[in-house]
Amino acid sequence: MNHIRNFCIIAHIDHGKSTLADRLLEHTKTIQITEGQMLDDMDLEKERGITIKSHAIQMEYENYILNLIDTPGHVDFSYEVSRSIAACEGALLVVDATQGVQAQTISNLYMAIEHDLEIIPVINKIDMPSAMPDEVEDEIVELLGCKREEILRASGKTGEGVEEILRAVVERVPPPTGDPEAPLQALIFDSVFNSFRGIIAYFKIENGVIRKGDKVKFFNTGMEYDADEVGVLKMEMKPRQELRTGEVGYIISGIKDAKEVQVGDTITHVSKPCAKAIEGFQEVKPMVFAGVYPIDPTDYENLRASLEKLQLNDASLTFQPESSVALGFGFRCGFLGLLHMEIVQERLDREFNMDVITTVPNVSYMVYTKQGESKEVHNPSGLPEQVMIDHIEEPYIRASIITTADFIGPIMKLCLDKRGELIKQEFVSGNRVELHFYLPLGEIVIDFYDKLKSISKGYASFDYHIDSFRPSKLAKLDILLNGEPVDALSTLTHQDNAVVLGRRMCEKLKELIPRQQFDIAIQAAIGAKIVARETIKQVRKDVTAKCYGGDVTRKRKLLEKQKRGKKRMKQIGNVEVPQKAFLAVLKLD
């Protein structure tokens, strides 16, 4: 056990974690680098240049076994980071020499400190012409309170400083603690679905030993299995006869049902079980809710199976069945943010060939009725009648934004426009400022992060956590097509914004819905009051073309006949809303 080190790499997005991880793997001769990031193996990760999943891999260095977990940096995937941290004793805190400490650096650092991890600060990208290692060193000393000589300098591109990092991991990160003689206790921190071998769970052993062929049970679900194969994670899986305390590995036991494996569960022996489960990590709290519906209603069961398999690999996704008048049967999914929602949609399409429609994302509200009852509402169609509602409370977040002093004005304006209130602002170091705001979560879910990035030319970093629910003047905005409400387009919004939003949605839908044989009235309504209207004109045939001169009543008769036909058609015709109309309404600017 003294020769095992478990550590993860944490940083803000784009600070070079995965590139640095590749250099560590290359230096320890674990892999030959062929092209691009080796750990980011998903097509989506390669295309977008971001890490979406944590990746665990084992290296050997001077007869030490190092288990490295590379983590994502984007705020939407912070749950992946919290799980990785639970399986480690140390963390490399990577900071970009050209950008300095950013918001996500700080929040991931606090997460690591809460779990008592040994922190090794590393300044990356020191080979860049715009690097400012001395200033960044000042920021890290201020943040961590460490000594200057403890901070390592490295470059993921050239491989400079990699040897020092590996030496620091061996010297500073404590070996795992645990009792090899005690009953088996192993924490599941991730799992993947393999269509040939069933579900493969990744775990870290806290106490005890697991051997191939053992009878094991999963503590929380109470299910029992045979350990058909156990092993360690290199670039591919390497089977072993046994894994001991402190090691990180995988188990294959022919599990077919996705519900039987829960991330955060404890594996123990059937014959000699442990007394209690390991304290897992905190429950995931979805921030953004959206309906996901199959385009073809017969795909409903396939969609359920696909979501369950995806949930194995992404434990922060939550879903429950729901139905909609316009879209049929589907699922109400909870996501950690908008990027997370986009990635899940893409993965459903690529990995499971599922074509889905996603409704307007919204957050959960607390509704209090005049009878004194309260209920949580995720979907505007679940609201009680307007006359029954006493008041509605919406979730507020506490946001911290770190930026350079040049952008304070525009960022403050953006936050105040989103109904935010400034708590405090403080200078972090040099020219950088940290702003703290209370903001309604509903205002943030659609386009806040994109706007923040464009206002600050990409220099602002943003991090948030849920604060509390507060009473708010909210109105339910319905979109009607020919008098029929389309529940997938209804939204809850602040009363001050409702009329403007309604008008913009009507104008957008007018552009996107194709013309029919009859007039289509698009209306935005708050309760019974119509606040905006657009009309899509019908496609008409020129029925009077065959009349040359003659009495005007002949033309009138033909037009009346056409009018009656159109009226009959309007009674039986229904309006199809194309998928791009749903998406365009999300991106209304």
Side-chain angles (χ1 to χ4, degrees), residues 378-399:
H378 301 309
N379 195 344
S381 58
L383 274 181
E385 289 296 315
Q386 197 68 39
V387 289
M388 306 289 289
I389 298 174
D390 181 49
H391 68 280
I392 303 177
E393 291 188 352
E394 65 174 334
Y396 267 69
I397 58 168
R398 185 179 174 126

Side-chain angles (χ1 to χ4, degrees), residues 89-361:
E89 284 85 34
L92 293 182
L93 179 74
V94 177
V95 182
D96 187 333
T98 62
Q99 297 182 42
V101 173
Q102 305 261 313
Q104 204 51 33
T105 319
I106 297 173
S107 77
N108 287 343
L109 170 68
Y110 287 154
M111 222 187 293
I113 290 173
E114 274 170 36
H115 281 80
D116 291 334
L117 264 60
E118 179 63 41
I119 310 288
I120 301 174
V122 177
I123 298 178
N124 193 20
K125 304 191 188 178
I126 55 165
D127 58 310
M128 300 277 281
S130 56
M132 341 166 267
D134 296 336
E135 290 88 329
V136 176
E137 224 170 59
D138 295 340
E139 289 178 23
I140 294 175
V141 168
E142 203 171 308
L143 181 68
L144 274 175
C146 60
K147 297 191 181 74
R148 270 182 186 280
E149 52 273 20
E150 288 175 16
I151 302 173
L152 304 173
R153 295 188 180 190
S155 163
K157 193 170 169 187
T158 62
E160 186 185 336
V162 168
E163 174 69 30
E164 288 77 19
I165 292 176
L166 289 165
R167 183 149 302 292
V169 168
V170 168
E171 287 168 5
R172 297 194 215 169
V173 175
T177 55
D179 181 359
E181 304 305 318
L184 173 69
Q185 264 186 323
L187 175 72
I188 299 177
F189 65 88
D190 203 356
S191 56
V192 290
F193 179 79
N194 181 311
S195 46
F196 301 106
R197 313 205 59 181
I199 290 157
I200 303 170
Y202 298 165
F203 60 80
K204 179 198 173 189
I205 303 179
E206 299 280 343
N207 293 306
V209 179
I210 187 169
R211 294 181 179 84
K212 186 179 171 178
D214 282 353
K215 285 283 277 184
V216 294
K217 103 171 171 183
F218 287 15
F219 202 91
N220 293 341
T221 57
M223 306 293 278
E224 299 183 3
Y225 308 99
D226 290 321
D228 299 337
E229 184 182 305
V230 294
V232 295
L233 299 155
K234 297 277 181 138
M235 229 22 221
E236 50 279 326
M237 298 184 287
K238 292 270 193 287
R240 292 279 167 89
Q241 284 306 308
E242 65 169 32
L243 291 177
R244 307 186 68 79
T245 305
E247 291 201 82
V248 173
Y250 69 90
I251 177 170
I252 299 177
S253 44
I255 307 170
K256 292 281 179 279
D257 187 358
K259 291 196 185 71
E260 293 173 23
V261 179
Q262 294 172 348
V263 169
D265 203 345
T266 302
I267 305 175
T268 186
H269 281 129
V270 173
S271 55
K272 189 177 154 191
C274 56
K276 65 181 185 19
I278 302 168
E279 288 293 315
F281 9 85
Q282 77 273 24
E283 258 310 284
V284 55
K285 294 194 287 282
M287 303 284 186
V288 176
F289 294 89
V292 173
Y293 295 86
I295 286 179
D296 179 357
T298 55
D299 278 343
Y300 176 71
E301 281 306 322
N302 294 348
L303 179 59
R304 180 196 294 274
S306 304
L307 282 167
E308 282 175 358
K309 286 174 190 167
L310 195 55
Q311 197 178 31
L312 276 176
N313 198 236
D314 181 356
S316 51
L317 171 69
T318 60
F319 63 92
Q320 61 204 51
E322 73 162 3
S323 65
S324 139
V325 182
L327 300 169
F329 289 102
F331 295 92
R332 185 103 201 125
C333 296
F335 307 98
L336 294 183
L338 247 96
L339 177 69
H340 185 214
M341 174 174 136
E342 211 176 302
I343 296 290
V344 166
Q345 220 174 320
E346 283 268 328
R347 287 184 71 182
L348 280 172
D349 181 26
R350 291 181 185 209
E351 294 172 30
F352 304 101
N353 288 328
M354 292 301 310
D355 281 338
V356 294
I357 288 180
T358 314
T359 62
V360 182

Side-chain angles (χ1 to χ4, degrees), residues 25 28-31 38-39 41 55-61 64-68 202 231-240 247-250:
L25 296 173
T28 55
K29 301 191 172 43
T30 308
I31 52 170
M38 296 298 288
L39 286 182
D41 49 8
H55 299 274
I57 190 163
Q58 191 180 87
M59 315 182 274
E60 282 157 23
Y61 171 74
Y64 283 92
I65 291 174
L66 309 182
N67 290 307
L68 152 74
Y202 298 165
V232 295
L233 299 155
K234 297 277 181 138
M235 229 22 221
E236 50 279 326
M237 298 184 287
K238 292 270 193 287
R240 292 279 167 89
E247 291 201 82
V248 173
Y250 69 90

